[in-house]
Protein backbone atom coordinates (compact mmCIF):
# COMPACT_ATOMS: atom_id res chain seq x y z
CA UNK A 1 0.00 0.00 0.00
CA UNK A 2 1.25 3.49 -0.83
CA UNK A 3 1.35 6.02 2.02
CA UNK A 4 -0.73 5.43 5.13
CA UNK A 5 0.34 5.57 8.76
CA UNK A 6 1.46 3.18 11.42
CA UNK A 7 -0.79 4.08 14.34
CA UNK A 8 -1.05 2.87 17.92
CA UNK A 9 -3.73 0.15 17.62
CA UNK A 10 -5.66 0.69 20.90
CA UNK A 11 -7.40 -2.69 20.57
CA UNK A 12 -8.18 -3.11 24.29
CA UNK A 13 -11.82 -3.87 23.41
CA UNK A 14 -10.77 -7.19 21.84
CA UNK A 15 -9.18 -8.51 25.05
CA UNK A 16 -12.39 -9.66 26.80
CA UNK A 17 -15.05 -12.07 25.49
CA UNK A 18 -17.95 -10.53 23.62
CA UNK A 19 -20.86 -9.46 25.88
CA UNK A 20 -24.42 -9.84 24.61
CA UNK A 21 -26.95 -7.11 25.40
CA UNK A 22 -30.46 -8.62 25.59
CA UNK A 23 -32.43 -6.77 28.25
CA UNK A 24 -33.51 -3.64 26.43
CA UNK A 25 -36.78 -1.85 26.99
CA UNK A 26 -36.94 0.22 23.81
CA UNK A 27 -35.20 0.62 20.45
CA UNK A 28 -35.20 3.25 17.69
CA UNK A 29 -34.81 1.45 14.38
CA UNK A 30 -33.78 3.63 11.45
CA UNK A 31 -35.21 3.05 7.98
CA UNK A 32 -31.83 4.02 6.49
CA UNK A 33 -29.04 1.74 7.64
CA UNK A 34 -27.39 1.30 4.27
CA UNK A 35 -26.25 3.30 1.28
CA UNK A 36 -29.13 3.86 -1.14
CA UNK A 37 -32.79 4.70 -0.63
CA UNK A 38 -34.43 4.31 2.80
CA UNK A 39 -36.68 1.37 3.53
CA UNK A 40 -40.44 2.05 3.53
CA UNK A 41 -42.18 1.39 6.89
CA UNK A 42 -44.76 -1.40 6.63
CA UNK A 43 -45.96 -1.19 10.25
CA UNK A 44 -48.19 1.33 11.98
CA UNK A 45 -48.25 2.78 15.46
CA UNK A 46 -49.86 0.25 17.80
CA UNK A 47 -48.84 -2.84 15.76
CA UNK A 48 -47.30 -5.72 17.68
CA UNK A 49 -44.25 -7.32 16.08
CA UNK A 50 -42.15 -10.39 16.76
CA UNK A 51 -38.38 -10.46 16.49
CA UNK A 52 -37.59 -10.99 12.80
CA UNK A 53 -40.82 -9.39 11.51
CA UNK A 54 -40.45 -6.89 8.68
CA UNK A 55 -40.53 -3.26 9.85
CA UNK A 56 -39.47 -1.62 6.58
CA UNK A 57 -39.52 -2.95 3.00
CA UNK A 58 -36.67 -2.24 0.59
CA UNK A 59 -37.54 0.71 -1.67
CA UNK A 60 -35.64 -0.85 -4.63
CA UNK A 61 -32.68 -3.16 -5.36
CA UNK A 62 -30.27 -0.54 -4.00
CA UNK A 63 -32.16 -0.48 -0.71
CA UNK A 64 -32.43 -3.07 2.11
CA UNK A 65 -35.30 -4.27 4.30
CA UNK A 66 -35.27 -3.68 8.07
CA UNK A 67 -36.52 -6.22 10.63
CA UNK A 68 -37.63 -6.05 14.26
CA UNK A 69 -34.82 -6.95 16.70
CA UNK A 70 -37.17 -7.70 19.64
CA UNK A 71 -40.78 -8.68 20.38
CA UNK A 72 -42.38 -5.27 20.74
CA UNK A 73 -45.19 -2.83 20.09
CA UNK A 74 -44.67 0.05 17.65
CA UNK A 75 -44.80 3.18 19.78
CA UNK A 76 -44.05 5.83 17.17
CA UNK A 77 -42.72 6.39 13.66
CA UNK A 78 -40.85 9.69 13.60
CA UNK A 79 -38.19 11.57 11.68
CA UNK A 80 -34.90 12.06 13.51
CA UNK A 81 -31.20 12.56 12.60
CA UNK A 82 -29.71 9.76 10.52
CA UNK A 83 -25.99 10.25 11.39
CA UNK A 84 -25.21 9.30 7.80
CA UNK A 85 -23.63 11.74 5.34
CA UNK A 86 -26.29 10.83 2.75
CA UNK A 87 -29.33 12.05 4.74
CA UNK A 88 -30.02 14.57 7.48
CA UNK A 89 -33.23 13.15 8.87
CA UNK A 90 -34.85 9.79 8.38
CA UNK A 91 -37.89 7.85 9.65
CA UNK A 92 -37.25 5.73 12.74
CA UNK A 93 -39.61 3.08 14.11
CA UNK A 94 -39.71 3.26 17.91
CA UNK A 95 -40.27 -0.12 19.55
CA UNK A 96 -41.19 -0.85 23.16
CA UNK A 97 -40.54 -4.38 24.39
CA UNK A 98 -43.55 -6.64 25.13
CA UNK A 99 -43.72 -10.12 26.65
CA UNK A 100 -42.21 -12.79 24.43
CA UNK A 101 -44.47 -13.69 21.52
CA UNK A 102 -42.71 -17.01 20.89
CA UNK A 103 -39.76 -18.05 18.75
CA UNK A 104 -38.21 -15.35 16.53
CA UNK A 105 -39.62 -15.16 13.01
CA UNK A 106 -37.05 -16.80 10.71
CA UNK A 107 -36.93 -17.70 7.04
CA UNK A 108 -36.56 -21.34 6.00
CA UNK A 109 -32.91 -22.49 6.11
CA UNK A 110 -31.40 -23.12 2.66
CA UNK A 111 -29.32 -26.15 1.73
CA UNK A 112 -26.32 -26.97 -0.43
CA UNK A 113 -28.42 -27.58 -3.54
CA UNK A 114 -29.86 -24.02 -3.57
CA UNK A 115 -28.88 -22.14 -6.71
CA UNK A 116 -26.83 -18.94 -6.63
CA UNK A 117 -29.73 -16.62 -7.52
CA UNK A 118 -31.91 -18.01 -4.67
CA UNK A 119 -29.00 -17.60 -2.27
CA UNK A 120 -28.55 -14.01 -3.39
CA UNK A 121 -32.28 -13.40 -2.93
CA UNK A 122 -31.97 -14.73 0.63
CA UNK A 123 -29.17 -12.23 1.33
CA UNK A 124 -31.50 -9.49 0.07
CA UNK A 125 -34.53 -10.71 2.10
CA UNK A 126 -32.45 -10.91 5.28
CA UNK A 127 -31.53 -7.23 4.98
CA UNK A 128 -27.78 -7.85 4.89
CA UNK A 129 -25.60 -4.84 4.17
CA UNK A 130 -21.84 -4.30 4.36
CA UNK A 131 -21.10 -4.37 8.09
CA UNK A 132 -17.60 -2.90 7.77
CA UNK A 133 -19.03 0.61 7.70
CA UNK A 134 -19.89 1.32 4.06
CA UNK A 135 -23.33 -0.29 4.23
CA UNK A 136 -23.79 -1.26 0.57
CA UNK A 137 -26.73 -3.67 0.25
CA UNK A 138 -24.85 -6.97 -0.08
CA UNK A 139 -27.21 -8.61 -2.58
CA UNK A 140 -26.67 -5.70 -4.97
CA UNK A 141 -22.91 -5.87 -4.45
CA UNK A 142 -23.00 -9.61 -5.26
CA UNK A 143 -24.34 -8.99 -8.77
CA UNK A 144 -22.05 -10.05 -11.64
CA UNK A 145 -19.32 -12.69 -11.77
CA UNK A 146 -16.07 -12.30 -9.83
CA UNK A 147 -12.88 -14.28 -9.92
CA UNK A 148 -11.66 -13.34 -6.43
CA UNK A 149 -13.48 -12.89 -3.10
CA UNK A 150 -11.61 -11.16 -0.27
CA UNK A 151 -13.01 -11.56 3.24
CA UNK A 152 -11.86 -8.40 4.94
CA UNK A 153 -10.82 -8.81 8.57
CA UNK A 154 -8.27 -6.00 8.41
CA UNK A 155 -9.53 -3.75 11.13
CA UNK A 156 -6.82 -1.14 10.74
CA UNK A 157 -8.53 1.86 12.34
CA UNK A 158 -7.49 2.41 15.97
CA UNK A 159 -10.01 1.42 18.67
CA UNK A 160 -12.24 -0.74 16.41
CA UNK A 161 -11.96 -4.37 17.44
CA UNK A 162 -15.29 -6.11 16.78
CA UNK A 163 -14.05 -8.07 13.75
CA UNK A 164 -10.97 -9.20 15.65
CA UNK A 165 -13.20 -10.52 18.44
CA UNK A 166 -15.62 -12.14 15.97
CA UNK A 167 -12.75 -14.02 14.31
CA UNK A 168 -11.47 -15.21 17.69
CA UNK A 169 -14.88 -16.45 18.80
CA UNK A 170 -16.63 -17.58 15.61
CA UNK A 171 -14.17 -18.08 12.75
CA UNK A 172 -16.32 -20.94 11.44
CA UNK A 173 -19.31 -18.63 10.85
CA UNK A 174 -17.08 -16.19 8.94
CA UNK A 175 -15.51 -18.87 6.75
CA UNK A 176 -18.86 -20.62 6.25
CA UNK A 177 -20.41 -17.32 5.14
CA UNK A 178 -17.43 -16.73 2.87
CA UNK A 179 -18.10 -20.05 1.17
CA UNK A 180 -21.73 -19.02 0.48
CA UNK A 181 -20.66 -15.59 -0.82
CA UNK A 182 -18.17 -17.27 -3.17
CA UNK A 183 -20.94 -19.58 -4.46
CA UNK A 184 -23.15 -16.57 -5.20
CA UNK A 185 -20.56 -14.48 -7.04
CA UNK A 186 -18.74 -17.40 -8.66
CA UNK A 187 -15.33 -16.56 -7.16
CA UNK A 188 -12.75 -19.31 -7.71
CA UNK A 189 -10.26 -17.84 -5.29
CA UNK A 190 -11.22 -16.89 -1.71
CA UNK A 191 -8.80 -15.03 0.56
CA UNK A 192 -9.33 -14.04 4.18
CA UNK A 193 -7.17 -11.07 5.14
CA UNK A 194 -6.14 -10.03 8.66
CA UNK A 195 -3.39 -7.80 10.04
CA UNK A 196 -0.14 -9.21 11.37
CA UNK A 197 -0.91 -7.82 14.84
CA UNK A 198 -4.13 -9.92 15.18
CA UNK A 199 -2.34 -12.93 16.68
CA UNK A 200 -5.33 -14.53 18.43
CA UNK A 201 -7.56 -14.15 15.37
CA UNK A 202 -4.86 -15.70 13.17
CA UNK A 203 -4.62 -18.68 15.55
CA UNK A 204 -8.42 -19.08 15.57
CA UNK A 205 -8.52 -19.07 11.77
CA UNK A 206 -5.63 -21.53 11.44
CA UNK A 207 -7.45 -23.91 13.81
CA UNK A 208 -10.43 -24.29 11.45
CA UNK A 209 -9.12 -23.46 7.98
CA UNK A 210 -8.55 -27.13 7.15
CA UNK A 211 -12.35 -27.57 7.13
CA UNK A 212 -12.71 -24.87 4.45
CA UNK A 213 -10.62 -26.00 1.48
CA UNK A 214 -10.24 -23.25 -1.09
CA UNK A 215 -10.01 -20.42 1.46
CA UNK A 216 -6.51 -19.00 1.97
CA UNK A 217 -5.36 -16.91 4.93
CA UNK A 218 -3.38 -13.81 3.99
CA UNK A 219 -1.70 -11.68 6.65
CA UNK A 220 -1.06 -8.05 5.73
CA UNK A 221 1.09 -5.40 7.45
CA UNK A 222 -0.50 -3.45 10.29
CA UNK A 223 -0.77 -0.09 8.55
CA UNK A 224 -3.72 2.31 8.38
CA UNK A 225 -5.83 2.37 6.09
CA UNK A 226 -4.86 -1.10 4.85
CA UNK A 227 -8.46 -2.26 5.37
CA UNK A 228 -9.84 0.06 2.68
CA UNK A 229 -11.21 -1.97 -0.25
CA UNK A 230 -8.90 -0.43 -2.82
CA UNK A 231 -5.82 -0.59 -0.61
CA UNK A 232 -6.49 -4.25 0.22
CA UNK A 233 -7.01 -5.21 -3.41
CA UNK A 234 -3.75 -3.47 -4.36
CA UNK A 235 -1.84 -5.30 -1.60
CA UNK A 236 -3.32 -8.78 -2.13
CA UNK A 237 -3.90 -8.86 -5.88
CA UNK A 238 -1.52 -6.18 -7.19
CA UNK A 239 -4.45 -4.54 -9.01
CA UNK A 240 -5.38 -0.84 -8.88
CA UNK A 241 -9.13 -0.18 -8.97
CA UNK A 242 -9.68 2.85 -11.25
CA UNK A 243 -10.57 6.04 -9.34
CA UNK A 244 -13.93 6.22 -11.13
CA UNK A 245 -14.54 2.46 -10.95
CA UNK A 246 -15.48 -0.24 -8.44
CA UNK A 247 -13.84 -3.52 -7.37
CA UNK A 248 -16.38 -5.35 -9.56
CA UNK A 249 -14.74 -3.67 -12.59
CA UNK A 250 -11.58 -5.69 -11.88
CA UNK A 251 -13.50 -8.89 -11.07
CA UNK A 252 -13.03 -8.73 -7.28
CA UNK A 253 -15.51 -8.68 -4.39
CA UNK A 254 -14.46 -7.49 -0.94
CA UNK A 255 -16.81 -8.44 1.92
CA UNK A 256 -16.32 -7.65 5.59
CA UNK A 257 -15.97 -10.70 7.86
CA UNK A 258 -19.07 -9.70 9.86
CA UNK A 259 -21.05 -9.54 6.60
CA UNK A 260 -19.89 -13.08 5.86
CA UNK A 261 -21.05 -14.25 9.32
CA UNK A 262 -24.45 -12.56 8.81
CA UNK A 263 -24.76 -14.31 5.44
CA UNK A 264 -24.03 -17.63 7.12
CA UNK A 265 -26.81 -16.99 9.68
CA UNK A 266 -29.29 -15.90 7.00
CA UNK A 267 -28.71 -18.93 4.76
CA UNK A 268 -28.16 -21.72 7.27
CA UNK A 269 -30.54 -20.56 10.03
CA UNK A 270 -32.84 -18.20 8.11
CA UNK A 271 -32.06 -15.28 10.47
CA UNK A 272 -32.64 -11.73 9.25
CA UNK A 273 -30.00 -9.20 10.30
CA UNK A 274 -31.29 -7.70 13.57
CA UNK A 275 -28.16 -7.62 15.75
CA UNK A 276 -24.51 -6.77 15.26
CA UNK A 277 -21.14 -6.73 17.09
CA UNK A 278 -19.95 -3.27 18.14
CA UNK A 279 -16.75 -2.28 19.94
CA UNK A 280 -16.88 0.37 22.65
CA UNK A 281 -13.47 1.78 23.29
CA UNK A 282 -11.29 4.84 23.89
CA UNK A 283 -9.38 6.32 26.79
CA UNK A 284 -12.54 7.82 28.33
CA UNK A 285 -14.74 4.73 28.67
CA UNK A 286 -14.49 2.69 31.88
CA UNK A 287 -14.50 -0.91 30.61
CA UNK A 288 -13.89 -1.19 26.83
CA UNK A 289 -15.29 -4.25 25.15
CA UNK A 290 -17.10 -5.80 22.23
CA UNK A 291 -20.87 -6.19 22.52
CA UNK A 292 -23.51 -7.95 20.46
CA UNK A 293 -26.42 -5.52 20.44
CA UNK A 294 -29.89 -5.28 18.92
CA UNK A 295 -30.06 -2.76 16.06
CA UNK A 296 -31.58 0.47 17.36
CA UNK A 297 -29.96 0.43 20.82
CA UNK A 298 -29.16 4.00 21.92
CA UNK A 299 -25.42 4.76 22.25
CA UNK A 300 -26.04 5.82 25.87
CA UNK A 301 -27.09 2.27 26.85
CA UNK A 302 -24.13 0.78 25.01
CA UNK A 303 -21.64 3.04 26.79
CA UNK A 304 -23.36 2.28 30.11
CA UNK A 305 -22.85 -1.44 29.43
CA UNK A 306 -19.15 -0.67 28.96
CA UNK A 307 -18.94 0.87 32.44
CA UNK A 308 -19.91 4.40 31.41
CA UNK A 309 -17.88 7.52 30.73
CA UNK A 310 -14.85 8.54 32.76
CA UNK A 311 -14.93 12.01 34.31
CA UNK A 312 -12.66 13.47 31.61
CA UNK A 313 -14.62 12.22 28.57
CA UNK A 314 -14.84 14.92 25.89
CA UNK A 315 -15.25 13.37 22.44
CA UNK A 316 -17.99 10.86 21.51
CA UNK A 317 -17.58 9.27 18.08
CA UNK A 318 -19.74 6.85 16.13
CA UNK A 319 -16.91 4.85 14.53
CA UNK A 320 -13.19 4.85 15.16
CA UNK A 321 -10.85 7.65 16.12
CA UNK A 322 -9.77 8.39 12.53
CA UNK A 323 -12.99 8.28 10.50
CA UNK A 324 -15.72 8.32 13.14
CA UNK A 325 -18.60 10.82 13.16
CA UNK A 326 -18.64 13.21 16.15
CA UNK A 327 -21.93 12.97 18.05
CA UNK A 328 -23.43 15.91 19.97
CA UNK A 329 -24.99 13.52 22.53
CA UNK A 330 -25.49 9.81 23.11
CA UNK A 331 -29.14 9.50 22.03
CA UNK A 332 -28.24 8.17 18.56
CA UNK A 333 -29.28 4.55 17.92
CA UNK A 334 -26.84 1.93 16.64
CA UNK A 335 -27.48 0.97 13.01
CA UNK A 336 -26.29 -1.94 10.90
CA UNK A 337 -23.23 -0.08 9.65
CA UNK A 338 -22.02 1.19 13.04
CA UNK A 339 -19.14 -1.01 14.12
CA UNK A 340 -17.76 1.14 16.94
CA UNK A 341 -18.37 3.79 19.55
CA UNK A 342 -15.23 5.63 20.66
CA UNK A 343 -15.00 7.92 23.68
CA UNK A 344 -11.89 10.07 24.06
CA UNK A 345 -10.42 12.63 26.39
CA UNK A 346 -9.43 16.06 25.06
CA UNK A 347 -6.59 15.68 22.57
CA UNK A 348 -3.43 17.71 23.20
CA UNK A 349 -3.00 20.51 20.68
CA UNK A 350 -6.43 19.94 19.13
CA UNK A 351 -7.45 23.54 19.86
CA UNK A 352 -4.26 25.22 18.52
CA UNK A 353 -5.00 27.47 15.51
CA UNK A 354 -3.83 26.23 12.10
CA UNK A 355 -0.73 27.87 10.56
CA UNK A 356 -0.14 28.53 6.86
CA UNK A 357 0.91 25.63 4.61
CA UNK A 358 4.70 25.47 4.18
CA UNK A 359 4.44 23.06 1.23
CA UNK A 360 6.57 20.43 2.94
CA UNK A 361 4.78 17.58 1.11
CA UNK A 362 4.34 15.38 4.20
CA UNK A 363 0.59 15.10 3.53
CA UNK A 364 1.20 13.85 -0.04
CA UNK A 365 3.60 11.18 1.27
CA UNK A 366 0.94 9.97 3.72
CA UNK A 367 -2.01 9.95 1.31
CA UNK A 368 -2.89 6.33 0.37
CA UNK A 369 -4.81 7.56 -2.68
CA UNK A 370 -1.76 9.45 -4.02
CA UNK A 371 -3.57 12.79 -3.92
CA UNK A 372 -1.85 16.13 -3.27
CA UNK A 373 -3.64 17.32 -0.13
CA UNK A 374 -1.72 20.63 -0.10
CA UNK A 375 -3.19 21.43 -3.53
CA UNK A 376 -6.66 20.39 -2.43
CA UNK A 377 -6.22 22.62 0.61
CA UNK A 378 -5.32 25.64 -1.56
CA UNK A 379 -8.21 25.08 -3.98
CA UNK A 380 -10.75 24.44 -1.22
CA UNK A 381 -9.74 27.70 0.48
CA UNK A 382 -10.27 29.46 -2.84
CA UNK A 383 -13.54 27.53 -3.42
CA UNK A 384 -12.14 26.70 -6.88
CA UNK A 385 -14.44 23.75 -7.44
CA UNK A 386 -13.25 23.00 -10.97
CA UNK A 387 -9.62 22.51 -9.93
CA UNK A 388 -10.64 20.75 -6.70
CA UNK A 389 -12.45 18.12 -8.74
CA UNK A 390 -9.67 17.94 -11.33
CA UNK A 391 -7.23 17.23 -8.47
CA UNK A 392 -9.36 14.25 -7.37
CA UNK A 393 -11.30 15.64 -4.41
CA UNK A 394 -13.93 12.92 -4.75
CA UNK A 395 -11.26 10.18 -4.72
CA UNK A 396 -10.36 11.27 -1.17
CA UNK A 397 -11.48 8.50 1.20
CA UNK A 398 -11.39 10.87 4.23
CA UNK A 399 -8.99 8.52 5.98
CA UNK A 400 -7.43 11.38 7.95
CA UNK A 401 -3.81 10.32 7.25
CA UNK A 402 -2.86 13.82 6.10
CA UNK A 403 -3.93 15.52 9.36
CA UNK A 404 -1.49 14.17 11.96
CA UNK A 405 1.56 14.62 9.68
CA UNK A 406 0.85 18.27 8.88
CA UNK A 407 3.32 20.48 10.81
CA UNK A 408 0.98 23.44 10.36
CA UNK A 409 -1.89 21.65 12.08
CA UNK A 410 -4.29 22.26 9.19
CA UNK A 411 -7.52 20.24 9.54
CA UNK A 412 -7.23 18.97 5.97
CA UNK A 413 -9.71 16.08 6.11
CA UNK A 414 -12.46 18.24 7.60
CA UNK A 415 -11.83 20.80 4.85
CA UNK A 416 -12.12 18.15 2.12
CA UNK A 417 -15.27 16.70 3.68
CA UNK A 418 -16.85 20.17 3.79
CA UNK A 419 -15.79 20.90 0.20
CA UNK A 420 -17.39 17.66 -1.00
CA UNK A 421 -20.60 18.40 0.89
CA UNK A 422 -20.67 21.95 -0.47
CA UNK A 423 -20.16 20.80 -4.08
CA UNK A 424 -22.74 18.04 -3.73
CA UNK A 425 -25.22 20.44 -2.13
CA UNK A 426 -24.68 22.98 -4.91
CA UNK A 427 -25.19 20.23 -7.51
CA UNK A 428 -28.49 19.26 -5.84
CA UNK A 429 -29.54 22.92 -5.67
CA UNK A 430 -28.66 23.35 -9.38
CA UNK A 431 -30.81 20.35 -10.29
CA UNK A 432 -33.64 21.71 -8.14
CA UNK A 433 -33.29 25.18 -9.73
CA UNK A 434 -33.25 23.65 -13.25
CA UNK A 435 -36.33 21.59 -12.44
CA UNK A 436 -38.11 24.67 -11.04
CA UNK A 437 -37.15 26.74 -14.13
CA UNK A 438 -38.39 24.00 -16.47
CA UNK A 439 -41.65 23.78 -14.52
CA UNK A 440 -42.04 27.57 -14.75
CA UNK A 441 -41.36 27.57 -18.51
CA UNK A 442 -43.82 24.72 -19.06
CA UNK A 443 -46.45 26.61 -17.05
CA UNK A 444 -45.91 29.77 -19.10
CA UNK A 445 -46.23 27.72 -22.28
CA UNK A 446 -49.45 26.13 -21.00
CA UNK A 447 -50.87 29.56 -20.09
CA UNK A 448 -50.07 30.93 -23.57
CA UNK A 449 -51.63 27.92 -25.25
CA UNK A 450 -54.74 28.18 -23.05
CA UNK A 451 -55.07 31.87 -23.82
CA UNK A 452 -54.68 31.23 -27.58
CA UNK A 453 -57.34 28.53 -27.41
CA UNK A 454 -59.71 30.83 -25.54
CA UNK A 455 -59.17 33.59 -28.14
CA UNK A 456 -59.92 31.12 -30.92
CA UNK A 457 -63.16 30.07 -29.23
CA UNK A 458 -64.18 33.70 -28.62
CA UNK A 459 -63.61 34.43 -32.31
CA UNK A 460 -65.64 31.37 -33.30
CA UNK A 461 -68.53 32.44 -31.03
CA UNK A 462 -68.36 35.98 -32.42
CA UNK A 463 -68.53 34.53 -35.92
CA UNK A 464 -71.60 32.48 -34.96
CA UNK A 465 -73.29 35.64 -33.61
CA UNK A 466 -72.32 38.01 -36.41
CA UNK A 467 -72.88 35.67 -39.33
CA UNK A 468 -76.73 35.50 -38.98
CA UNK A 469 -76.82 39.31 -38.69
CA UNK A 470 -74.71 39.66 -41.80
CA UNK A 471 -76.97 37.16 -43.58
CA UNK A 472 -80.13 39.03 -42.55
CA UNK A 473 -78.65 42.34 -43.74
CA UNK A 474 -77.70 40.74 -47.07
CA UNK A 475 -81.21 39.38 -47.49
CA UNK A 476 -82.69 42.80 -46.68
CA UNK A 477 -80.37 44.50 -49.15
CA UNK A 478 -81.26 41.97 -51.85
CA UNK A 479 -84.95 42.41 -51.18
CA UNK A 480 -84.72 46.22 -51.34
CA UNK A 481 -82.83 46.00 -54.62
CA UNK A 482 -85.54 43.70 -56.03
CA UNK A 483 -88.35 46.17 -55.15
CA UNK A 484 -86.53 49.03 -56.86
CA UNK A 485 -86.21 47.16 -60.23
CA UNK A 486 -89.04 47.93 -62.72
CA UNK A 487 -91.19 45.01 -63.78
CA UNK A 488 -90.01 43.42 -67.02
S1 LIG B 1 1.64 18.70 5.40
FE1 LIG B 1 0.60 20.63 5.86
S2 LIG B 1 2.19 22.18 5.63
FE2 LIG B 1 2.98 20.34 4.64
S3 LIG B 1 2.36 20.55 2.48
FE3 LIG B 1 0.75 19.42 3.48
S4 LIG B 1 -0.74 20.98 4.08
FE4 LIG B 1 1.18 22.04 3.66
S1 LIG C 1 -8.00 12.33 3.92
FE1 LIG C 1 -8.04 12.30 1.69
S2 LIG C 1 -6.36 13.63 1.06
FE2 LIG C 1 -6.02 13.12 3.24
S3 LIG C 1 -4.71 11.34 3.18
FE3 LIG C 1 -6.78 10.53 3.26
S4 LIG C 1 -7.37 10.25 1.11
FE4 LIG C 1 -5.54 11.55 1.12
Amino acid sequence: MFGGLRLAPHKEAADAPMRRIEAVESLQVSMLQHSGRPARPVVQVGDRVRRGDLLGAAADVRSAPVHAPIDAVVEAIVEQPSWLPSADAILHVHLRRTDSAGAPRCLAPLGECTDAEALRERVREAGIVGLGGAGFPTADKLGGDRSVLILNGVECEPHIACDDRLLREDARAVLGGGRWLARICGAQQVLIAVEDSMHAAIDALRAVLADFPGITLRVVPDRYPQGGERQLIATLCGVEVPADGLPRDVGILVANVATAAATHAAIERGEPLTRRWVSVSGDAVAAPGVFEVPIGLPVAELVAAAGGYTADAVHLLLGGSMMGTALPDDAAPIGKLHNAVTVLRARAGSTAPALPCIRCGACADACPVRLLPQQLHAFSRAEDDGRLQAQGLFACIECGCCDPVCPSGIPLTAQFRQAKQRIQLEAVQRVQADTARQRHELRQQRLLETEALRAERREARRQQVTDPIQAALARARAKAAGEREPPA
Side-chain angles (χ1 to χ4, degrees), residues 363 366-369 371 373 376 396-402 413 416:
C363 51
C367 179
V369 189
L371 299 174
L376 294 174
C396 167
I397 56 172
E398 298 176 22
C399 63
C401 286
C402 47
T413 312
F416 305 154

Side-chain angles (χ1 to χ4, degrees), residues 278-290:
V278 185
S279 60
V280 185
S281 185
D283 54 14
V285 70
V290 172

Side-chain angles (χ1 to χ4, degrees), residues 165-379:
R165 197 68 227 172
L166 174 65
L167 287 168
R168 295 187 201 192
E169 295 193 26
D170 207 356
R172 280 187 180 280
V174 172
L175 297 174
R179 209 161 49 182
W180 289 115
L181 290 171
R183 274 267 308 274
I184 299 171
C185 69
Q188 301 300 310
Q189 190 184 10
V190 184
L191 310 174
I192 178 156
V194 292
E195 285 171 298
D196 53 12
S197 59
M198 297 168 69
H199 305 293
I202 292 170
D203 289 347
L205 282 166
R206 286 202 172 122
V208 298
L209 261 175
D211 296 337
F212 297 88
I215 302 184
T216 308
L217 174 63
R218 296 286 297 271
V219 178
V220 299
D222 182 1
R223 193 167 181 84
Y224 174 77
Q226 182 63 84
E229 276 193 347
R230 289 159 194 266
Q231 287 69 35
L232 198 53
I233 289 170
T235 299
L236 294 181
C237 308
V239 177
E240 292 282 342
V241 179
D244 57 350
L246 292 170
R248 74 173 64 184
D249 300 332
V250 293
I252 298 174
L253 174 74
V254 181
N256 174 261
V257 290
T259 312
T263 301
H264 175 266
I267 291 176
E268 300 202 8
R269 299 197 295 273
E271 288 177 10
L273 178 59
T274 60
R275 302 178 64 88
R276 72 152 300 150
W277 293 35
V278 185
S279 60
V280 185
S281 185
D283 54 14
V285 70
V290 172
F291 298 82
E292 196 211 49
V293 306
I295 300 296
L297 184 77
V299 167
E301 289 184 40
L302 184 50
V303 175
Y309 303 100
T310 60
D312 48 4
V314 172
H315 301 287
L316 176 62
L317 302 167
L318 204 45
S321 52
M322 293 298 283
M323 297 178 77
T325 304
L327 292 176
D329 57 48
D330 55 11
I334 295 295
K336 292 177 186 176
L337 43 68
H338 298 140
N339 52 4
V341 170
T342 307
V343 193
L344 300 171
R345 296 185 199 135
R347 278 170 272 191
S350 58
T351 53
L355 299 170
C357 171
I358 55 170
R359 304 196 75 77
C360 64
C363 51
D365 292 341
C367 179
V369 189
R370 299 174 196 264
L371 299 174
L372 296 173
Q374 70 275 49
Q375 299 277 59
L376 294 174
H377 164 63
F379 297 141

